[in-house]
Amino acid sequence: MSASFPIDRIRNIGFIAHIDAGKTSVTERVLFASGRIHRVGGVDQGTTAMDWMPQERERGITITSAATTTYWRDFRVNIIDTPGHVDFTAEVERSLRVLDGGVVVLDAVAGVQPQSETVWRQADRYEVPRICFVNKMDRVGASLDHTMDTLRHRLGANPVAVQLPLGTESSLCGVLDLMNSKAIVYSRGEDAPPEEGPVPDEEQDRFTQYRETMIEKIVETDDRLMIKYLEGEELATDDLCGALRKATLSRSLIPVLCGSALRGIGVDPLLDAVTHYLPAPTDVPPVQAILDEDEEVYLEPDEDGPLAALAFKVMTDPFVGRLVYLRVYSGTLKAGATVVNSTKGTRERTGRVLTVHANRREEVDGVGAGNICGAIGLKNTFTGDTIASVNKAVVLEPPRFPEPVLSVAIEPATRADQERLDESLRKLEEEDPTFQVSYNKETGQALIAGMGELHLSVLVDRMKREFSVEANVGKPRVSYREAITVPVRSEGRFVRQTGGHGQFGHVLLNIEPRERGEGFLFENKITGGSIPREYIPAVEAGVKEAVSNGPLAGFPVIDLKVTLIDGSYHEVDSSELAFKAAGSIAIRDGVRKANPMLLEPIMVGEIVTPGEFLGDVIGNLGTMRGHITNIEGQGETQVVRALVPLSETFGYTTALRSLTQGRATHTLEFQSYEPIPSDLLKSIIGGRR
């Protein structure tokens, strides 16, 4: 792969969607249509190129985001296929941080689903332009109009159909291209290229109606075209296409395409739409970076500029070792070059640079700005770190990840497994920012925390297969939090007098509750030098360490503001250690006096059930302390939305299947921490102690 591929002909895109909408099948068809693979695999058979992990093939779901590069016409398309399950939301988060555009895959029967909303919000946060592909148009009940309605109502999007299905449900045989006024028919089998022809006579009325709607929506975004349209002039296809591209890049319109990935219908036009409407690296604003801690700089995607690349994923490969995935924003990453990890301030050496196709690699000399690649040899680079030129060490904004909500105790099956268990936990923690390992000092147990039961189950399975570690896992345990309810002032004094040099630290803190979700804030308001400046970070460190273990049940204390307002020191005996201890003492005493309360994670649940089981589902949610927020019907199917405490959801999949004869499905997504009812407080605190 040449580093000098024209940057305006590169597309970095991701397929994002709800679980089972067909992302991996679409990706598979895209790779086949573009000649990257020569046989189409199936998710159900476990033969897809992108779902390469054994756990993915067995479960039929995507677990880890997989990257690949393919070519379409004269464009290079770097693709990331992301998971749809909420437990693996970090994979979507890190992928969207480095992508320029997104293809949102929607189910033509279900329309916008819960995880579709989650990934849409994530794409909004990173300002990613996107197009939609309505998949499964050959299913019974498929409706392009209904799917577009859910885009408007659920996501507040402004969709515009640029295609219509040709045929309905099982008789689907192609698509009508509204932009180029032609029919694209797939009649010679799944693996044959489509045939293009005129719009059939029986479809002319529908075609004309939808094309007129498309033109109206496009000209609303372009004043020049609007004047031409109002004056009755014929609008050129190139002008319409260019205006739609601008509207897509500004996210004021969302082009909607349709087809069936399983049968290969609509995939070629989808690739054309990716190259026409989604941005090249030169179309997105220059990336913002920080130079020398406080100076903001903007980096253009220039191959000859200073190197700036963001590490967005780390994985341990059994063949090549530690592999770091990078998005190069500026400059060229060359094999064997000395670079600096500007996040940590350490020098690194890139051993080899690779282009990646799922779990296969191709070695190259270098990769230029605007591309995604893998690098071997970066020993101390982790997710979110920036790799930069030695002479211009800029720092890029890292992706943000949610906190884990579920934890289990883990221990090796035999004493001989202890060392291998520690090593495997360390490697998995490096790979996955939402997987955390901690040790309970009281019990001596290792605790692993993640985003849900499936997340932890997959990680334990990986330990067994990839690292040959047999481990015993405890029951899932909820990661509660603690918070204070009233402001207090607290004093911390640490005095130790021994024969020689003593220890002296004295601080006065104001401790106040913050709004839910605002997090921890430390503020220094020392005036007049009552505490020397060099001891302030030690006070903050002591405070942070102490709030990780709350007074009620030892859970972290969240959403509080701590202000250091006064204190005193001793010329000889004061030290950083003494002030760290004083800060810790002050915050522990203060939190205890500030009426602490216990918070539990609340999940947003969406249950899709046949109408005949609606009463049973609602009744069962009542026994789980669930609060129903909305019920809406889609044909004979009912969709129930409810807020449910995480502690009540363990085993819910099995319970729901037995209630509905296996016909209902559900998704759960973390929303917020809320106070726990007083009648449950004692049992949780007692159990913890």
Side-chain angles (χ1 to χ4, degrees):
M1 174 176 134
S2 156
S4 59
F5 196 90
I7 196 165
D8 62 335
R9 295 198 166 271
I10 295 172
R11 299 291 182 270
N12 294 307
I13 64 157
F15 289 99
I16 55 178
H18 182 89
I19 191 168
D20 279 345
K23 291 179 307 304
T24 302
S25 299
V26 173
T27 310
E28 197 77 5
R29 279 289 175 182
V30 162
L31 295 177
F32 178 75
S34 58
R36 191 69 172 85
I37 57 175
H38 304 291
R39 187 175 62 84
V40 179
V43 173
D44 294 338
Q45 294 79 37
T47 54
T48 60
M50 301 302 274
D51 283 352
W52 54 270
M53 290 170 66
Q55 294 85 352
E56 294 178 312
R57 297 189 161 181
E58 287 167 12
R59 289 172 165 86
I61 61 170
T62 302
I63 289 169
T64 182
S65 52
T68 187
T69 298
T70 191
Y71 295 84
W72 179 249
R73 313 228 190 264
D74 53 352
F75 288 84
R76 177 192 288 154
V77 185
N78 297 319
I79 298 171
I80 296 183
D81 175 33
T82 64
H85 198 286
V86 68
D87 280 20
F88 308 107
T89 189
E91 294 290 330
V92 185
E93 191 79 31
R94 67 163 121 215
S95 302
L96 284 170
R97 171 64 184 84
V98 298
L99 292 171
D100 299 325
V103 178
V104 180
V105 183
L106 299 170
D107 185 316
V109 179
V112 173
Q113 294 168 280
Q115 193 63 12
S116 315
E117 294 185 51
T118 305
V119 297
W120 194 272
R121 286 197 302 272
Q122 288 171 307
D124 279 342
R125 189 183 314 138
Y126 292 112
E127 299 182 352
V128 175
R130 65 216 84 141
I131 61 177
C132 288
F133 181 72
V134 181
N135 190 26
K136 305 188 182 182
M137 287 301 303
D138 54 343
R139 280 183 59 198
V140 175
S143 168
L144 180 64
D145 288 337
H146 164 69
T147 304
M148 289 181 63
D149 280 342
T150 60
L151 275 167
R152 290 185 199 97
H153 298 141
R154 285 198 169 193
L155 302 177
N158 188 12
V160 54
V162 294
Q163 282 179 1
L164 294 178
L166 185 57
T168 57
E169 298 178 353
S170 59
S171 64
L172 181 78
C173 62
V175 294
L176 298 175
D177 184 341
L178 298 175
M179 186 65 77
N180 298 294
S181 301
K182 63 186 178 184
I184 302 171
V185 183
Y186 296 75
S187 57
R188 295 183 296 157
E190 290 178 16
D191 298 344
E195 295 173 331
E196 295 182 0
V199 176
D201 292 341
E202 65 273 15
E203 296 286 353
Q204 276 293 348
D205 290 346
R206 188 168 71 109
F207 175 85
T208 305
Q209 177 194 340
Y210 276 86
R211 178 171 161 81
E212 195 61 30
T213 303
M214 177 193 78
I215 291 172
E216 285 173 5
K217 285 213 158 203
I218 292 172
V219 299
E220 282 173 4
T221 67
D222 188 300
D223 292 342
R224 185 178 63 84
L225 288 187
M226 175 64 90
I227 292 166
K228 277 189 173 184
Y229 176 72
L230 293 174
E231 290 175 351
E233 285 188 45
E234 188 69 28
L235 299 177
T237 300
D238 287 349
D239 286 345
L240 286 171
C241 200
L244 181 54
R245 175 175 170 76
K246 278 185 187 171
T248 306
L249 298 186
S250 66
R251 297 181 296 126
S252 52
L253 280 180
I254 309 289
V256 178
L257 300 94
C258 59
S260 166
L262 198 61
R263 290 168 53 192
I265 295 174
V267 173
D268 298 60
L270 172 63
L271 272 164
D272 287 334
V274 164
T275 59
H276 288 157
Y277 305 128
L278 290 179
T282 48
D283 293 319
V284 295
V287 66
Q288 183 182 353
I290 304 294
L291 182 65
D292 298 331
E293 295 189 4
D294 53 1
E295 184 190 344
E296 285 186 5
V297 293
Y298 291 88
L299 303 173
E300 299 284 351
D302 178 8
E303 290 182 357
D304 299 322
L307 175 66
L310 182 69
F312 66 95
K313 184 178 171 76
V314 177
M315 64 179 286
T316 304
D317 187 279
F319 302 107
V320 299
R322 193 170 187 274
L323 180 65
V324 179
Y325 284 80
L326 296 157
R327 162 70 195 264
V328 183
Y329 284 97
S330 171
T332 301
L333 182 72
K334 292 179 179 170
T338 298
V339 295
V340 64
N341 179 332
S342 49
T343 308
K344 294 192 169 67
T346 57
R347 290 207 173 195
E348 293 260 44
R349 185 176 173 80
T350 53
R352 289 187 283 158
V353 176
L354 313 166
T355 59
V356 183
H357 174 54
N359 62 332
R360 298 198 293 281
R361 332 259 179 254
E362 293 165 17
E363 198 164 332
V364 291
D365 296 331
V367 169
N371 274 297
I372 289 169
C373 65
I376 296 167
L378 302 172
K379 295 187 175 64
N380 298 308
T381 298
F382 297 89
T383 300
D385 287 355
T386 302
I387 295 298
S389 303
V390 175
N391 57 358
K392 192 171 182 181
V394 295
V395 178
L396 299 165
E397 183 195 353
R400 297 183 292 274
F401 299 105
E403 286 291 314
V405 295
L406 194 70
S407 64
V408 296
I410 188 166
E411 58 187 31
T414 64
R415 193 164 282 185
D417 278 326
Q418 179 68 58
E419 197 170 311
R420 285 209 307 275
L421 174 66
D422 291 342
E423 176 70 6
S424 65
L425 289 175
R426 183 184 64 76
K427 285 182 176 174
L428 290 171
E429 195 174 19
E430 278 184 16
E431 285 184 26
D432 188 344
T434 57
F435 174 63
Q436 292 178 3
V437 182
S438 60
Y439 293 90
N440 188 319
K441 292 174 186 173
E442 296 164 15
T443 62
Q445 277 182 318
L447 298 174
I448 56 175
M451 298 306 296
E453 288 180 275
L454 179 62
H455 185 200
L456 294 177
S457 162
V458 165
L459 288 167
V460 170
D461 191 36
R462 285 186 61 195
M463 272 182 237
K464 190 174 178 178
R465 295 194 199 202
E466 292 175 31
F467 303 101
S468 306
V469 174
E470 292 290 341
N472 300 321
V473 179
K475 287 183 179 176
R477 193 175 64 179
V478 179
S479 292
Y480 294 99
R481 295 288 185 265
E482 298 182 25
I484 62 172
T485 54
V486 296
V488 294
R489 182 166 289 190
S490 181
E491 188 175 25
R493 190 184 290 271
F494 183 76
V495 183
R496 290 285 183 277
Q497 202 58 52
T498 54
H501 197 304
Q503 294 283 1
F504 180 88
H506 169 227
V507 299
L508 193 62
L509 304 178
N510 269 347
I511 306 165
E512 308 162 62
R514 302 184 80 195
E515 289 296 318
R516 198 65 61 241
E518 287 189 351
F520 172 84
L521 178 67
F522 180 87
E523 200 172 318
N524 171 31
K525 285 203 173 170
I526 290 292
T527 54
S530 55
I531 297 176
R533 189 181 299 168
E534 63 266 25
Y535 296 141
I536 306 296
V539 177
E540 184 176 357
V543 167
K544 280 184 176 174
E545 196 175 288
V547 296
S548 67
N549 196 336
L552 287 176
F555 292 107
V557 184
I558 61 170
D559 301 332
L560 76 160
K561 178 182 177 183
V562 178
T563 309
L564 177 59
I565 55 171
D566 204 0
S568 59
Y569 72 105
H570 188 278
E571 290 282 357
V572 177
D573 291 349
S574 284
S575 66
E576 287 186 6
L577 181 69
F579 273 99
K580 184 178 178 182
S584 183
I585 291 165
I587 193 75
R588 283 185 198 280
D589 287 351
V591 169
R592 212 171 277 119
K593 295 172 190 165
N595 291 351
M597 63 178 174
L598 201 61
L599 306 172
E600 64 178 341
I602 302 294
M603 313 297 282
V604 178
E606 181 164 299
I607 301 100
V608 181
T609 176
E612 61 196 276
F613 303 112
L614 181 62
D616 294 333
V617 169
I618 291 172
N620 188 52
L621 285 170
T623 65
M624 297 165 59
R625 296 193 284 130
H627 169 64
I628 292 163
T629 57
N630 189 29
I631 300 173
E632 60 183 55
Q634 295 175 1
E636 293 184 6
T637 303
Q638 296 292 324
V639 181
V640 182
R641 289 188 162 219
L643 300 175
V644 189
L646 175 66
S647 58
E648 304 286 346
T649 63
F650 299 143
Y652 183 62
T653 302
T654 309
L656 185 64
R657 281 179 187 151
S658 61
L659 277 175
T660 62
Q661 299 172 12
R663 291 169 61 194
T665 59
H666 79 289
T667 55
L668 291 167
E669 181 188 342
F670 171 73
Q671 189 195 44
S672 61
Y673 280 97
E674 298 297 337
I676 203 159
S678 53
D679 54 324
L680 296 172
L681 197 60
K682 285 181 183 173
S683 63
I684 292 167
I685 292 174
R688 177 74 168 171
R689 286 177 178 165

